[in-house]
Amino acid sequence: MTRRVVVTGMGAITPVGNTVHQSWCALLNGESGIGAITHFDATNFDVKIAGEIKNWDAAAATSAKLARRLDRYQLLANAAMQQAVDHAGIALETESQRLRTGVVIGSSIGGMTSFSQQLHNIDQNGPRRMSAFGIPSFMTTVGSSLSSIELGAYGPSYIITSACATGSDCIGHAFDQIRLGRMDVMVAGAGEAPILPNSIAGFDRLGACSHELDEPHKAMRPFDVDRTGLVVSEGAAVLVLESLQHAQQRGAAILAEIVGYGASSDAYHMVAPHPEGRGAAIAMRRALADAHVETEQVDYINAHGTATPLNDGMETLAIKTVFGEGAYNIPVSSTKSMTGHAMGATAAMEAVFSVMALREQVVPPTINLVTPDPACDLDYVPHEARPIPLTHVMSNAFGFGGHNAVLVFKRF
């Protein structure tokens, strides 16, 4: 027998806002978070734009001590966790509460900022200049371990790393821990800080990045025939999940119910998706079967929608493979058109946006969609948010290496 699982708290720091509320309002207004790179000197780079967090003080959001010792992705994840826990009103006051609470906050690349800085220190000044906190600052596991320390949670603390599907897989595994009765509360999501010379150069060498300069806010154009690639961004998002019984016993406000999780592998290529969307379709079907939801019951799909030549057509085909003719009746939008692509963290952000869509009964738009690609012929909610009745929402996440993860949320 499995238990019902609900969302009771959310936190997010994104290129369009430093809280869930700020980010959601920006999305509904069609505001882009893309601008010139300021994290490093991009003068000699062909890619000069990114989705950076604005006006965010790590020391104020966490603590001055942590800000000195940890990587930016870890700080973003920790701050999003604090927002989510505060929102949920969770306080672990007893031994039994601590034993029944776990954390799964992942990252696809971990502490690359700190890794680069420490390599430079060693290069310039020798090995004794390596920080004593260097190893923890590199580790992808610290998003979870730091949060478990801060919360005093004795439950499992681990991560899932599955490229751009990381956030969804972390949430899906947290969902499993609760519905199988192992935990009562799980804190789950992902953080990422990939706006670095090596990361930007690497994605550009793969031919994945947009080179837009004059109008950065128009650079991310998912599903458009003139799309020029993704824009790398940063951020973090975290959800608090609880068993329905636990949430009701403590009188928590329930934001939505998570009802389905499906994962798969393309088993095809290291960076290219399967051209027919085989793995993506498998993950969507598994999520629907897990949720006991029929295709005609899905009211909105938050697409992976990366604005890359390969992803958008593949995802469109996969949706049509799963939903048949009914695909043309489902609003599908890419919030990456505004946030950019924060790698593993974006899936967690989009889980938050999916819950907000259910809460507010409105679908966020795909901005910059001027001339749809003929291969992308679904309803992508161009330009403006659309109020519609929503009961079930699907959130897609597909990553390099063929990692696919899909979540289904239900209005509570």
Side-chain angles (χ1 to χ4, degrees):
M1 180 177 179
T2 62
R3 301 190 299 172
R4 292 174 67 183
V5 181
V6 295
V7 182
T8 58
M10 300 191 297
I13 304 166
T14 78
V16 293
N18 293 343
T19 64
V20 171
H21 177 72
Q22 288 176 4
S23 299
W24 182 245
C25 289
L27 294 185
L28 295 188
N29 289 329
E31 298 174 11
S32 171
I34 310 303
I37 291 174
T38 66
H39 286 358
F40 65 91
D41 183 357
T43 301
N44 295 326
F45 284 67
D46 292 330
V47 177
K48 301 180 188 298
I49 59 172
E52 296 182 349
I53 303 298
K54 287 92 175 163
N55 305 314
W56 185 72
D57 184 346
T62 53
S63 73
K65 183 171 72 173
L66 287 179
R68 289 193 304 271
R69 294 177 174 179
L70 297 180
D71 188 81
R72 182 173 176 83
Y73 108 80
Q74 296 163 349
L75 296 167
L76 288 166
N78 187 64
M81 179 277 295
Q82 292 289 356
Q83 288 182 17
V85 169
D86 289 347
H87 186 202
I90 287 285
L92 306 185
E93 297 171 340
T94 67
E95 187 81 356
S96 61
Q97 289 172 333
R98 293 175 186 273
L99 288 168
R100 300 285 294 175
T101 301
V103 183
V104 192
I105 300 177
S107 173
S108 67
I109 60 173
M112 280 186 66
T113 304
S114 298
F115 189 77
S116 299
Q117 289 170 346
Q118 296 306 319
L119 276 182
H120 179 76
N121 287 345
I122 293 170
D123 227 25
Q124 297 296 309
N125 304 300
R128 296 300 299 174
R129 297 304 299 170
M130 173 77 172
S131 169
F133 299 97
I135 295 300
S137 71
F138 305 163
M139 293 167 59
T140 54
T141 56
V142 170
S144 280
S145 58
L146 175 63
S147 294
S148 65
I149 292 167
E150 299 259 308
L151 291 171
Y154 299 154
S157 168
Y158 63 102
I159 68 165
I160 305 296
T161 296
S162 50
C164 304
T166 294
S168 289
D169 276 324
C170 287
I171 294 165
H173 276 247
F175 172 41
D176 285 343
Q177 288 280 358
I178 297 172
R179 62 175 166 173
L180 293 176
R182 293 171 177 155
M183 292 291 118
D184 294 326
V185 179
M186 291 294 294
V187 181
E192 213 79 84
I195 305 175
L196 299 161
N198 51 352
S199 179
I200 298 295
F203 279 107
D204 193 31
R205 285 289 287 157
L206 290 172
C209 290
S210 173
H211 289 182
E212 297 280 339
L213 297 176
D214 296 333
E215 296 181 291
H217 63 286
K218 295 182 179 180
M220 280 288 290
R221 297 194 288 272
F223 309 111
D224 195 282
V225 71
D226 295 319
R227 63 191 182 275
T228 56
L230 61 81
V231 177
V232 176
S233 66
E234 62 180 347
V238 172
L239 281 66
V240 174
L241 306 182
E242 299 183 56
S243 72
L244 175 60
Q245 182 183 19
H246 186 273
Q248 289 177 330
Q249 283 178 343
R250 71 180 190 89
I254 295 171
L255 308 178
E257 184 172 1
I258 178 169
V259 291
Y261 166 55
S264 71
S265 175
D266 284 359
Y268 174 72
H269 194 274
M270 284 302 298
V271 293
H274 190 278
E276 297 175 2
R278 178 178 61 199
I282 291 170
M284 283 188 272
R285 283 183 170 135
R286 285 177 174 168
L288 290 172
D290 190 41
H292 302 288
V293 168
E294 301 298 325
T295 54
E296 60 269 21
Q297 293 178 275
V298 176
D299 303 305
Y300 165 57
I301 300 172
N302 187 294
H304 189 57
T306 60
T308 54
L310 294 180
N311 175 86
D312 295 359
M314 174 282 295
E315 185 169 12
T316 298
L317 181 57
I319 291 170
K320 289 191 284 189
T321 298
V322 173
F323 291 88
E325 287 299 312
Y328 293 96
N329 302 321
I330 304 171
V332 178
S333 69
S334 172
T335 46
K336 287 186 183 71
S337 62
M338 295 168 276
T339 66
H341 194 346
M343 308 303 134
T346 313
M349 294 179 192
E350 290 162 1
V352 168
F353 302 153
S354 296
V355 171
M356 289 303 297
L358 284 168
R359 293 285 294 167
E360 302 293 327
Q361 296 288 283
V362 60
V363 171
T366 303
I367 68 169
N368 303 323
L369 179 52
V370 177
T371 308
D373 185 330
C376 301
D377 57 350
L378 301 179
D379 176 6
Y380 302 112
V381 195
H383 312 305
E384 295 183 357
R386 184 184 303 168
I388 58 171
L390 300 172
T391 301
H392 294 96
V393 168
M394 174 179 282
S395 182
N396 288 345
F398 313 129
F400 278 1
H403 302 286
N404 307 296
V406 176
L407 300 171
V408 178
F409 295 93
K410 181 181 180 181
R411 189 180 188 192
F412 187 80

